[in-house]
Amino acid sequence: MVRKLSPERITVALPKGRLFEQTISIFNRCGILDRKLSQDSRKLILETEDFNFLLVRAKDVPTYVEYGVADIGVAGDDVLFESKPDVYRPVDLGIGLCTIMVAGLPEDREKYFANPTVLKIATKYPNIAKDFFGEKGIKVQIIELYGSIELAPLVGLADFIVDIVETGRTLRENGLVVIEEIMPSSAKLIVNRASYKTKNEKIMSIIDKLENMLVKG
C-alpha cells in the first residue's frame, strides 16, 4: 500500500544523524517548527501539523527533492556536487561544515605535484574526483569505496583518496596527510522546482525565516 503524504503539508527530506539534529535545531530557533523532533525511533516519516519529515540517507536527499516526493530538503555540497540534481539552492545553512580534499601518504606528495598523467583515486565521490582532475588534465582510474577509504593508499589499492575531512583526525591516525583542497562544503536548503511555484508562499516563508536568523547570527 502506498503511503499518502498530506499535500497540505510541506514535505522535508532530511538526512539521518547529526545533520538532522542541527537542521531541527535551526528550524526551532527561527520559528519554522514549534516542537522538537527525535530520530531515535525507527520511523521514517515524522509528521507535525505543518510538515512531513522524511528521514533518508544523506546521498538520497536530492533524489527525493528533485523528483518531487519532498518539497524541500537539506544536503551538503559534497552530495550536491556529486549528484548534480536539478533543484534550487536558496540558503546556505552554515552547518555540516567540512572540506573535500585529496589525501595520501606524505611520501607521495612529490609524486602528486610532479604533473602525473594518470592516478588511481579511491573515493565515494567519483564525479567530483573526475571533474577536479579533469580540469588539471590528469586521467584518473576511479576506485569506488564506501567505507574505510583511508585504507586504500596504505595497502596500495590507490595512489590517493578524495574524501570529506572535518577535523583530519582519521587521516592523522592512519599516517595520511592532506595533499590538496578541492572545495569547502556546507549544508544547503534545496527546493523542488515545481513546489517552489505551487507552494511558493509557504516555501518563501521558510526561506525568509532562515535568512533572517542567519543574518542576525
Side-chain angles (χ1 to χ4, degrees), residues 49-142:
E49 184 177 347
D50 299 314
F51 295 97
N52 305 303
F53 288 94
L54 311 181
L55 275 64
V56 302
R57 290 181 64 192
K59 67 182 296 183
D60 294 336
V61 169
T63 302
Y64 280 91
V65 176
E66 182 175 12
Y67 286 89
V69 175
D71 301 302
I72 63 176
V74 173
D77 285 318
D78 58 321
V79 174
L80 296 173
F81 278 92
E82 178 62 27
S83 60
K84 301 175 182 177
D86 184 17
V87 296
Y88 291 125
R89 310 176 191 186
V91 184
D92 185 337
L93 298 174
I95 56 177
L97 302 175
C98 58
T99 307
I100 305 172
M101 294 183 174
V102 182
L105 293 164
E107 58 265 32
D108 289 335
R109 186 189 299 271
E110 185 175 341
K111 172 184 177 180
Y112 182 86
F113 289 108
N115 297 317
T117 55
V118 180
L119 289 174
K120 287 194 296 182
I121 304 295
T123 184
K124 60 181 176 182
Y125 301 108
N127 291 325
I128 290 176
K130 287 174 185 175
D131 290 346
F132 178 72
F133 287 104
E135 291 178 2
K136 290 173 169 288
I138 299 173
K139 292 182 179 179
V140 288
Q141 178 186 347
I142 299 293

Side-chain angles (χ1 to χ4, degrees), residues 103-107 147-155 161 163 168-178:
L105 293 164
E107 58 265 32
S148 303
I149 293 175
E150 294 83 6
L151 185 62
L154 300 179
V155 297
I161 64 172
D163 201 8
R169 179 180 174 182
T170 304
L171 293 180
R172 292 191 296 271
E173 290 186 352
N174 288 283
L176 302 180
V177 296
V178 172

